[in-house]
Amino acid sequence: MSLKEEVDLLRRIPLFANIEASKLKLLAFTSERVAFEGGQVLFRQGDMGDAAYIIIEGEAEVLVDGPAGPVTVAVLGRDAFVGEIAILCDVPRTATVRARQRLVCLRIAKELFLRLINEFPQMAVAVMRELALRLEASNQKLRAAVAEIEALRRPAQRA
Amino acid sequence: MKAMSETLKLRWPRWADRNTEASRAGAAPAPGEGDDPGIEPTIYRFIIRHSYKRQLVILALTLGSFPFLYYSLSLPKTIINRAIGGHKFPQQFAFWQLDQIPYLLTLCGLFLVLVFINGAFKFYINLYKGQLGERMLRRLRYELYHRVLRFPVGQFKRVSAAEVIPMITAEVETLGGFIGDAFVQPVFQGGTLLTIIIFMFAQDPVLGAAAVALYPVQGYVIPKLQRRINLLAKQRVRTVRQVADRVGESAAGIIEIRANDGVRLQLAGFAHLLGTIYSIRFDIYNRKFFVKFLNNFIGQLTPFFFYMIGGYLVIRGNLSFGALVAVLAAYKDLASPWKELLDFYQLMQDSHIKYEQVIEQFRPPGLIERTRQLNPPETVPPLTGAIVASNVSFAEDERARVVDAVSFSLAANEHVAIVGPSNSGRYELALLLARLIEPTGGRITIGGADLAGLHDAVVGRRIGYASATPHFFAGSMQDNLYFSLRNRPVVPARYEPLRARTVSKILAEARQAGNIDLDLGADWTDYAAAGVADAAGLAARTVELLRRLDLAEDVYAFGLRGRLDPRQRPEVAERLLEARRALAQRLAADGITHLVEPFAADRYNSNASLAENLLFGTPVGPAFDFDQLASNTYVLRVLDKAGLTEDLVAMGGEVAKTMIELFADLPPEHEFFEQYSFIGAGDLHEFQAILTRAQKSGRDKLKADDRTRLLSLPFKLIAARHRLGLLDAALEARILAARRIFAADLPAAMRSQIEFFDAARYNAAATVQDNVLFGKVAYGEAAAPARIPLAISSVLDALGLRDAITAIGLDFAVGSGGSRLSAAQRQKAALARILLKRPDIVILNEATAALDGQMQAKVMAGIKEECVGRGLIWSLHRASLARHFDRVIVMAEGRIVEQGTFAELDRPGTALNKLLASE
């Protein structure tokens, strides 16, 4: 897999979709390609995040600690973007991610990503726009949900 | 003449008077306090004491050269008057009657012989003087350095090393030149002066008197002026030392200066110092040249008397005209020796001051006696018997007593802890017991013998001392550990006859200058002292000790990264090859072969750089340095033969293009350049220019220099890591072909400059780890960093190679001051260093303070095990650690407040209890 393919991979990720090609290339070049063995853990719930991963090949499962031990909540495949919150802000991992079989990822280190953002404001704007769109989408969902709850509550009060 | 001698006398009596005193001191140096026998207070005493015979030889040689010199000066006159202009022939020459031409030829021949003799005299005298000066300088420097080694340990709190260094190096440098001339110059020039003056007196006493009339004035004024210059010179030396000190301080405090924006303050301080030096020097120049001016003026004034008095005498008929002319001519000749004398006088004053000012810095109070360091006793008996301190006190610089009338008695093999607050005097007490400082009151005896009277060899070999901040010398770990065993040459070196002669010559020359004459080439390591028979035994013992002190793991890690010379330890190299095979099997068994890409002669290694793939070996020395490959003519020839040159230049162009595309927008100081780019920020636009030129006129039209630069890029390319997609299978196959050509065509002369990868051979240029691995750890395998080292170390353990590799780790260079070791490693290594020599008494000053709790317990247990049957006195930074000792001494404010076993003292209300509570 060459740099060019990695750039295409990055482009398919919505967070990076609006970033210009040469910057994506730099991000790809400075990022590492990492392979995990089946069963190897990419990161654990509760750890501080230091990188996000884009799956190039293989599958990974997302585990959340439950009262009776970890529970698999999702399985991720090719082109999935895992742990992206970690490269944007300092929060602990909300889940554990483990390779199901041999898994090849592109590892985007937080430090590196933030340095690029610092260096190229247009990249920051692209990321900001994407985040704003997501926020707007979330807001809409929230409004809809609130309206639904209100609608449900009113008849109950009358009764 | 009288005036002349007075001129010189004004300064000279200093040494002349002490002359007899010096010889007395030389005959029977008074030991002990007061006047130190080792060093003379003035330079002339130093010269006389150590070189008077040689000074006499120089004088004799110089005087011996005079007749020839005189004859060679008078011979031209004879040649002109008698041989060329003469009429009476044949002439008598020795026993022969010679005609004009043979006479001329004979005289000219004689002249030639004289020229040769004079030249030979001059050459030999200069050589002799130079040799003498160098030897004396060597003696002086040696003496000064030895004094540094004899300084009381607190001395470097008072003077900085930065001040002392230039004294030994630069300040005394000019003295060597002076020493050779110290006697001969005044005698020679003074003699010449005297001869001329006598000649003038013989011509006419009055005129003679006129010639010297102003000498008394000069003799009075010049020394007066000179005295002021001397004072300034002293001040200058002091200020220059402050400069050295300031530079040293800034180097030591660079972090504080930068962290507090202190640069301007430092610069201002430095500028101020330089200003002071400038004004002093300017003042010196003023006065120095004024002295010269005055001298010249007076010199010109004297003819005034000649013309006046001489003229008067001639007119009155009391003096012949010829005599006046002769005197005037003689007076002219007077100028040169007089000037030389004056220069000498100034040089002498200068040297005098330099010497005095250096010497005074090397005579601190409390200097350790020379006899305590040199000529150690044949055998050093063990220190046995009780350690008794009676009323021991220690005070520094008239301050309050840090240790105050301390008394105790310890059994020889007792393990004793000293605890107390950090300023309780326990630190100093440990120093006192190790005799690194001397009590200012009371005394310490060991087995009844006064500690103060023991030779350094006894104390240094039988007592082990380590502090929390031990020093390490730049060199290998082994050199630092064995330091405690290297007290004297133990096994003389065996040399070839030729080399043996050279060595004995070198040592003889050392004796000539009063230096120590011990051969550095001998084996200084005292194996018997460590209780082993030879080097292999000592290495094994060292590894054992390191394990006890929890340092073996670290040194093992150094060993993995270290290099082994297979010629020296062929059996270890053989076993490492075995480990190489075992590792391959192990990786296969664990199913992780994909984590390592092994070197194979017929395969391209995509985790290695293109350069490594081409060379298929490790460069030895700079010839095949990866950064220089593109300009290596042999490599270029190989590439041409393989038809690869154009492809690689093209690939270089592609790499450059990508780098420019990726990095051009980044500011030049961005760290990405260093971390990721093939091209430095500064070179980026140059490559841009090269690419533009290549595009305009074709790559093949590029200048050789440009092509070299492009060619240098792909060598760094690691296919698996950089993922630029520039290498395909076909190109890889051609690189493999070039690899074969490279090895096949390699000229014999270059064979030693590369160690080829060979599965069946140990690679001396690669690290131990790389030899076992024999391949590259694959890039981008998340499991590799954890699993590969584990696999390597389990394979090495299985083959019993751990100790051998730890021994290789002993070659690790610890760096200046041990800077490549961590604080904990330094403390552990310092303990190993003193335990190696198996001392009778071990004295430790918070020697494990940098270790964490777990390490602490392990190391302490190791030390206590090593110290079974020996005395152990440990000043502890934490009172709770005293639990493990036979006896506890609790100190406060310089006094012992409690002593007993830990159990006895550990009850409510005791000082120990309070210390424990405060932890």
Side-chain angles (χ1 to χ4, degrees):
Chain A
M1 180 153 192
S2 77
L3 207 54
K4 196 181 158 318
E5 292 168 275
E6 285 169 7
V7 172
D8 292 340
L9 178 73
L10 285 172
R11 183 164 306 291
R12 289 197 292 271
I13 309 295
L15 187 64
F16 303 132
N18 295 320
I19 296 174
E20 58 180 298
S22 69
K23 298 296 165 283
L24 276 188
K25 203 166 178 181
L26 183 58
L27 181 61
F29 184 71
T30 50
S31 294
E32 236 184 315
R33 226 153 58 100
V34 194
F36 294 88
E37 302 303 314
Q40 214 181 339
V41 169
L42 279 68
F43 52 78
R44 279 179 204 285
Q45 184 173 348
D47 288 354
M48 285 311 288
D50 60 346
Y53 299 84
I54 302 170
I55 297 177
I56 296 172
E57 68 181 66
E59 282 187 346
E61 49 192 354
V62 181
L63 303 148
V64 174
D65 290 340
V71 182
T72 305
V73 293
V75 173
L76 304 170
R78 191 175 148 77
D79 287 0
F81 191 28
V82 202
E84 79 269 36
I85 292 301
I87 61 171
L88 294 171
C89 60
D90 296 318
V91 288
R93 301 285 195 191
T94 51
T96 299
V97 174
R98 191 166 67 189
R100 284 187 110 184
Q101 71 255 96
R102 188 169 163 81
L103 178 78
V104 182
C105 305
L106 191 66
R107 181 177 185 275
I108 311 226
K110 170 182 180 172
E111 204 197 320
L112 191 102
F113 181 69
L114 291 183
R115 256 186 291 165
L116 283 176
I117 293 267
N118 263 328
E119 214 51 69
F120 304 111
Q122 67 272 36
M123 223 170 128
V125 171
V127 170
M128 206 158 70
R129 187 170 296 147
E130 168 60 24
L131 289 176
L133 284 174
R134 275 198 207 176
L135 185 65
E136 179 51 30
S138 309
N139 280 345
Q140 275 183 20
K141 274 187 207 160
L142 188 64
R143 269 199 295 277
V146 169
E148 224 165 284
I149 291 168
E150 288 291 307
L152 284 172
R153 204 182 274 167
R154 246 172 262 136
Q157 273 171 357
R158 256 175 238 154
Chain B
M1 173 53 211
K2 197 141 183 280
M4 176 66 214
S5 78
E6 247 173 43
T7 311
L8 297 175
K9 230 186 202 167
L10 279 166
R11 283 323 238 152
W12 283 16
R14 278 203 189 190
W15 57 267
D17 294 348
R18 289 176 191 173
N19 193 348
T20 47
E21 209 182 304
S23 53
R24 235 186 298 130
E33 296 171 21
D35 201 30
D36 191 327
I39 201 148
E40 292 69 22
T42 67
I43 188 162
Y44 267 100
R45 282 178 68 172
F46 177 71
I47 295 171
I48 290 169
R49 163 114 178 250
H50 297 293
S51 73
Y52 74 97
K53 277 187 193 153
R54 287 175 185 275
Q55 297 287 355
L56 288 179
V57 171
I58 295 178
L59 278 177
L61 280 172
T62 310
L63 293 177
S65 72
F66 276 176
F68 297 97
L69 191 64
Y70 176 79
Y71 195 45
S72 74
L73 290 176
S74 71
L75 195 58
K77 204 168 75 193
T78 317
I79 293 175
I80 290 167
N81 290 346
R82 294 217 249 156
I84 302 172
H87 300 292
K88 288 194 300 175
F89 287 100
Q91 269 275 6
Q92 177 79 23
F93 182 82
F95 309 112
W96 303 281
Q97 296 283 323
L98 297 173
D99 278 330
Q100 190 165 16
I101 298 295
Y103 185 62
L104 176 69
L105 290 182
T106 308
L107 287 185
C108 286
L110 191 62
F111 183 74
L112 197 65
V113 170
L114 283 173
V115 166
F116 181 76
I117 291 176
N118 285 329
F121 260 112
K122 210 166 211 167
F123 175 71
Y124 189 71
I125 290 171
N126 279 336
L127 206 64
Y128 198 89
K129 280 201 283 196
Q131 186 193 38
L132 175 63
E134 284 310 313
R135 276 190 186 150
M136 292 292 281
L137 188 59
R138 178 175 178 177
R139 178 186 290 275
L140 181 61
R141 282 190 170 138
Y142 174 81
E143 174 62 32
L144 295 178
Y145 175 67
H146 189 191
R147 277 169 177 263
V148 171
L149 297 183
R150 287 163 60 204
F151 276 0
V153 288
Q155 180 65 12
F156 278 106
K157 285 188 214 160
R158 286 181 276 270
V159 293
S160 78
E163 258 181 279
V164 173
I165 294 162
M167 292 186 215
I168 300 181
T169 52
E171 282 187 30
V172 296
E173 180 74 40
T174 52
L175 295 182
F178 169 73
I179 288 170
D181 277 334
F183 286 92
V184 71
Q185 187 75 347
V187 169
F188 178 59
Q189 302 296 351
T192 315
L193 197 71
L194 194 65
T195 316
I196 298 170
I197 290 172
I198 289 171
F199 170 78
M200 287 203 283
F201 268 95
Q203 296 294 324
D204 188 286
V206 181
L207 277 181
V212 299
L214 287 173
Y215 281 176
V217 180
Q218 280 165 294
Y220 178 75
V221 176
I222 290 173
K224 276 226 146 144
L225 291 169
Q226 185 65 37
R227 211 161 299 155
R228 178 69 196 142
I229 294 178
N230 291 351
L231 282 178
L232 285 168
K234 279 191 182 182
Q235 218 178 321
R236 186 197 66 201
V237 170
R238 272 198 297 272
T239 322
V240 171
R241 279 181 195 162
Q242 282 176 24
V243 168
D245 188 33
R246 175 67 73 125
V247 175
E249 285 257 283
S250 302
I254 188 71
I255 301 235
E256 278 65 29
I257 293 173
R258 297 240 182 96
N260 295 301
D261 186 25
V263 170
R264 273 173 303 275
L265 180 63
Q266 294 298 312
L267 286 176
F270 199 71
H272 179 74
L273 272 181
L274 293 181
T276 314
I277 292 178
Y278 166 80
S279 55
I280 294 172
R281 292 204 83 125
F282 192 68
D283 210 2
I284 290 178
Y285 281 133
N286 265 333
R287 287 163 197 275
K288 215 171 188 170
F289 291 124
F290 182 69
V291 169
K292 293 226 157 129
F293 158 77
L294 198 69
N295 208 43
N296 284 340
F297 177 71
I298 293 173
Q300 300 295 322
L301 209 60
T302 310
F304 162 79
F305 290 109
F306 284 164
Y307 294 128
M308 201 168 72
I309 301 171
Y312 177 78
L313 290 175
V314 170
I315 293 169
R316 293 295 297 265
N318 291 349
L319 184 73
S320 77
F321 184 67
L324 179 61
V325 172
V327 167
L328 275 171
Y331 185 75
K332 215 172 228 168
D333 290 338
L334 215 55
S336 156
W338 179 245
K339 186 180 160 297
E340 293 283 337
L341 268 182
L342 188 77
D343 285 347
F344 174 77
Y345 174 67
Q346 289 189 326
L347 179 66
M348 182 183 78
Q349 292 299 322
D350 199 45
S351 305
H352 196 87
I353 288 164
K354 270 188 185 148
Y355 181 86
E356 223 169 48
Q357 278 200 303
V358 167
I359 293 307
E360 69 187 16
Q361 294 301 319
F362 288 82
R363 316 179 72 178
L367 196 67
I368 288 153
E369 275 168 43
R370 174 190 307 267
T371 48
R372 222 171 71 180
Q373 293 193 332
L374 300 177
N375 306 320
E378 264 316 294
T379 51
V380 174
L383 287 175
T384 50
I387 303 161
V388 180
S390 13
N391 269 320
V392 171
S393 297
F394 178 74
E396 217 170 10
D397 304 335
E398 283 111 48
R399 273 183 288 157
R401 287 194 221 170
V402 191
V403 176
D404 194 358
V406 162
S407 299
F408 54 78
S409 173
L410 309 173
N413 55 1
E414 219 170 339
H415 288 192
V416 181
I418 311 177
V419 296
S422 58
N423 59 353
S424 61
R426 62 179 165 81
Y427 177 82
E428 285 77 11
L429 183 60
L431 284 175
L432 285 166
L433 286 168
R435 208 189 63 182
L436 291 164
I437 55 178
E438 317 249 345
T440 45
R443 62 183 208 143
I444 300 170
T445 58
I446 299 178
D450 192 343
L451 189 60
L454 294 177
H455 194 278
D456 261 20
V458 179
V459 176
R461 294 182 209 173
R462 305 313 320 168
I463 297 180
Y465 173 86
S467 74
T469 53
H471 184 77
F472 284 82
F473 300 93
S476 73
M477 184 82 160
Q478 177 170 306
D479 286 339
N480 275 288
L481 293 180
Y482 292 3
F483 186 74
S484 65
L485 298 171
R486 290 175 176 164
N487 319 110
R488 62 190 195 287
V490 179
V491 185
R494 245 181 267 142
Y495 294 116
E496 312 267 303
L498 195 70
R499 176 78 191 137
R501 268 202 296 282
T502 318
V503 170
S504 70
K505 243 194 208 160
I506 290 170
L507 295 182
E509 183 57 48
R511 280 191 290 276
Q512 287 280 354
N515 285 196
I516 206 163
D517 59 346
L518 301 177
D519 181 16
L520 262 186
D523 190 350
W524 284 58
T525 311
D526 190 348
Y527 300 107
V532 297
D534 53 13
L538 187 55
R541 162 74 182 139
T542 308
V543 171
E544 180 199 338
L545 199 51
L546 292 178
R547 192 166 300 131
R548 274 212 171 140
L549 295 171
D550 194 35
L551 190 57
E553 277 297 315
D554 301 33
V555 179
Y556 171 75
F558 297 153
L560 281 179
R561 280 179 277 136
R563 285 176 176 77
L564 168 78
D565 185 353
R567 281 166 308 183
Q568 276 184 2
R569 312 277 312 269
E571 73 295 342
V572 177
E574 201 49 54
R575 306 257 300 290
L576 285 170
L577 286 180
E578 221 173 288
R580 181 186 288 181
R581 292 187 288 272
L583 180 70
Q585 287 164 8
R586 163 88 195 225
L587 294 178
D590 290 359
I592 50 171
T593 44
H594 63 283
L595 298 188
V596 176
E597 188 177 4
F599 294 127
D602 54 355
R603 277 191 47 211
Y604 191 91
N605 190 320
S606 59
N607 285 291
S609 70
L610 197 153
E612 282 172 290
N613 268 294
L614 176 67
L615 263 53
F616 201 61
T618 317
V620 181
F624 291 118
D625 192 80
F626 290 149
D627 288 336
Q628 303 298 324
L629 280 190
S631 42
N632 182 307
T633 47
Y634 175 66
V635 171
L636 293 178
R637 224 164 46 231
V638 170
L639 293 182
D640 278 340
K641 195 167 170 185
L644 262 176
T645 316
E646 267 325 300
D647 295 280
L648 290 188
V649 172
M651 198 195 276
E654 284 302 313
V655 173
K657 208 171 100 188
T658 311
M659 292 303 134
I660 290 165
E661 182 190 357
L662 289 176
F663 294 102
D665 291 349
L666 286 170
E669 68 281 358
H670 204 280
E671 53 213 292
F672 276 12
F673 280 105
E674 189 137 324
Q675 280 178 303
Y676 301 105
S677 178
F678 280 51
I679 301 172
D683 295 340
L684 213 55
H685 66 279
E686 279 177 49
F687 276 96
Q688 178 71 68
I690 293 174
L691 289 186
T692 314
R693 282 199 286 277
Q695 214 164 23
K696 215 183 281 174
S697 46
R699 235 188 354 260
D700 46 328
K701 296 281 194 318
L702 281 178
K703 276 183 294 180
D705 209 28
D706 287 350
R707 285 171 61 87
T708 306
R709 300 203 72 174
L710 287 181
L711 191 58
S712 71
L713 295 178
F715 282 124
K716 301 175 194 166
L717 208 62
I718 300 171
R721 179 179 167 204
H722 294 116
R723 320 184 301 272
L724 291 178
L726 294 172
L727 277 159
D728 53 24
L731 195 56
E732 286 181 0
R734 286 165 60 209
I735 292 169
L736 290 180
R739 176 193 288 184
R740 284 187 288 277
I741 296 171
F742 181 90
D745 290 3
L746 190 69
M750 290 185 182
R751 190 124 301 169
S752 63
Q753 283 157 354
I754 184 161
E755 277 268 1
F756 286 114
F757 298 138
D758 181 344
R761 266 193 69 220
Y762 189 87
N763 182 339
T767 64
V768 168
Q769 185 165 260
D770 283 349
N771 262 291
V772 175
L773 197 60
F774 195 66
K776 290 280 175 181
V777 176
Y779 276 97
E781 291 293 342
R787 298 200 66 173
I788 298 301
L790 205 68
I792 290 178
S793 97
S794 78
V795 161
L796 292 173
D797 280 349
L799 286 166
L801 273 165
R802 179 166 282 268
D803 285 1
I805 291 170
T806 311
I808 296 170
L810 290 176
D811 286 335
F812 178 75
V814 299
S816 168
S819 55
R820 296 180 67 205
L821 299 176
S822 71
Q825 286 170 336
R826 281 199 291 270
Q827 291 194 341
K828 292 174 188 173
L831 290 166
R833 172 162 63 192
I834 61 164
L835 290 173
L836 260 187
K837 68 179 174 184
R838 300 192 303 166
D840 302 315
I841 303 166
V842 173
I843 297 168
L844 303 178
N845 235 337
E846 309 192 351
T848 58
L851 311 186
D852 62 39
Q854 206 184 346
M855 260 192 220
Q856 180 106 254
K858 196 170 170 204
V859 172
M860 192 171 243
I863 294 169
K864 289 192 51 90
E865 248 171 78
E866 281 288 329
C867 286
V868 170
R870 303 172 208 280
L872 172 63
I873 301 171
W874 196 331
S875 162
L876 289 165
H877 61 292
R878 282 175 51 197
S880 58
L881 295 168
R883 197 179 304 275
H884 312 288
F885 289 76
D886 303 336
R887 188 206 292 246
V888 182
I889 293 178
V890 185
M891 288 190 72
E893 291 174 3
R895 293 171 175 275
I896 294 182
V897 290
E898 277 165 17
Q899 53 177 316
T901 64
F902 190 85
E904 282 165 14
L905 297 179
D906 186 20
R907 54 192 158 73
T910 62
L912 179 65
N913 205 267
K914 270 183 220 137
L915 283 171
L916 289 170
S918 66
E919 265 178 23

